[in-house]
Amino acid sequence: MGPGSPEHSPAPVGFIGLGNMGAPIARRLLSWPGGLVVCDVRPEAAEPFVSEGATAAATPAEVARTARLVSVTVLDDAQVRDVVEGPDGILRTAAPGTVVAVHSTISDSTAVELAQACATHGVHLVDAPVSGGAPGAEKGELAVMVGGPREVYEACKPVFALWAAMPVHAGEVGAGTRMKLARNLLHFISFTAAAEASRLAEAAGIDIAKLGRVVRHTDAITGGAGAVMLRETTAPIAPDDFWHGVFTHVRGLGEKDLSLALSLGERLEVDLPLGTIALRDLGAGFGVGPGEIARRAATATAGAGVGDRSEGDGLDDDGNDHSNDSNGDDEGAR
């Protein structure tokens, strides 16, 4: 199965898609003792690899004639499907035991469907998306999250180790993609939160670039958001559990600082919706429930939604009273 080990006459590996992420990954595979076969829709993209000893292939099918592990790094689900099972796809020529590793971020259902299609040919497909961006690819420090049977994962590891500092077996086919989507959910929500923090800092007269340097410096020390991802479950924590004290302490610090930031935003008339949600949900997310500050804020928000009509009478255009239609959580989320 797969290309074998570097010590025992390994088979060639293939790489399809030599873009910003694919090219630096493939470059590290030039050292694979079994040889490297590369393919890209732009023939010129393969030329630097050929000059260093790789073989260029015109189609994915041509890659799979000799390669026993074929990595795929293309744009989207449609391109992955075409590369795997299209008219010139991998399955046209792949020998039984070949492993197809999809590094593109695609739908987990696409990965499962393609794995099933591959299985009818005796070919194994793993979804193996990566994290770490182009800088991680250049340094060989990517994380790769692999969904597939354990033995297939183990067959890929000697090759993945050439370009990934952190290979992780996520579970069955589709699990690698699900892990990547959860990781990127955090990533891009964090970017949105960074924009919200920047608006607050700008309104307060703070240099945003200097704030960014502080964030990068301190996240490198504390680990950023990943530093609190320590448990194996998101279930509520029992009071006698070790983690209850840890997260209760962090919740207290977080609620205090969030409350102060929201107060500053209110004075500066800067809307901080993610900050409001964070204050409401921080304790529940840690599994210890809201603290006193969050409970007070929820009570105050709920109270502001009823009774006080100094800023409006709560009636719609038809004269119907909707002042009690929203609960405190909904108000806090806006």
Side-chain angles (χ1 to χ4, degrees):
M1 181 194 303
S5 67
E7 298 82 13
H8 299 95
S9 302
V13 297
F15 207 97
I16 300 171
L18 302 172
N20 290 336
M21 286 294 293
I25 296 174
R27 196 169 297 118
R28 291 182 170 271
L29 295 177
L30 287 165
S31 64
W32 179 252
L36 173 65
V37 185
V38 294
C39 178
D40 194 277
V41 293
R42 303 160 299 137
E44 66 274 14
E47 292 174 2
F49 295 90
V50 174
S51 68
E52 295 190 49
T55 301
T59 66
E62 189 177 336
V63 174
R65 288 188 202 279
T66 55
R68 291 298 169 261
L69 169 61
V70 182
S71 285
V72 178
T73 306
V74 293
L75 182 62
D76 54 23
D77 292 55
Q79 288 189 5
V80 171
R81 287 185 183 277
D82 187 57
V83 164
V84 174
E85 57 181 359
D88 293 312
I90 292 168
L91 291 181
R92 301 302 168 190
T93 60
T98 299
V99 178
V100 179
V102 178
H103 303 307
S104 309
T105 301
I106 57 175
S107 166
D108 60 324
S109 60
T110 297
V112 172
E113 291 167 9
L114 288 176
Q116 293 169 345
C118 287
T120 64
H121 295 261
V123 172
H124 308 278
L125 182 140
V126 296
D127 57 314
V130 300
S131 184
E138 291 286 351
K139 297 176 182 177
E141 295 178 352
L142 291 171
V144 57
M145 298 152 277
V146 184
R150 183 80 197 193
E151 61 271 19
V152 182
Y153 165 73
E154 294 293 343
C156 297
K157 277 183 71 175
V159 176
F160 290 170
L162 294 175
W163 53 264
M166 180 178 282
V168 175
H169 183 228
E172 75 280 1
V173 174
T177 298
R178 295 173 199 131
M179 182 178 284
K180 173 65 183 290
L181 294 177
R183 193 270 170 271
N184 277 14
L185 177 71
L186 172 61
H187 192 61
F188 290 110
I189 288 177
S190 296
F191 281 4
T192 308
E196 184 166 297
S198 296
R199 291 197 302 273
L200 177 64
E202 186 173 53
I206 301 302
D207 185 317
I208 298 173
K210 289 182 179 179
L211 172 63
R213 292 200 296 273
V214 169
V215 170
R216 290 190 294 276
H217 176 80
T218 53
D219 276 1
I221 298 170
T222 66
V228 300
M229 301 176 74
L230 302 168
R231 299 187 296 137
E232 295 180 354
T233 175
T234 60
I237 304 175
D240 59 350
D241 190 296
F242 166 79
W243 290 114
H244 192 277
V246 173
F247 284 114
T248 299
H249 174 69
V250 177
R251 178 197 66 190
L253 296 175
E255 288 188 355
K256 174 182 68 68
D257 290 357
L258 285 165
S259 178
L260 291 170
L262 289 169
S263 178
L264 176 61
E266 187 174 340
R267 296 200 311 273
L268 297 175
E269 298 184 344
V270 178
D271 189 28
L272 303 174
L274 290 179
T276 301
I277 293 170
L279 177 58
R280 185 192 71 193
D281 293 346
L282 181 66
F286 283 157
V288 296
E292 181 181 350
I293 294 175
R295 289 194 296 269
R296 283 204 310 264
T299 300
T301 302
V306 294
D308 182 3
R309 296 191 179 172
S310 59
E311 298 298 322
D313 61 7
L315 305 180
D316 65 15
D317 291 341
D318 295 322
N320 298 311
D321 188 348
H322 293 288
S323 60
N324 289 312
D325 285 359
S326 297
N327 60 29
D329 285 351
D330 292 332
E331 289 291 324
R334 280 202 284 271

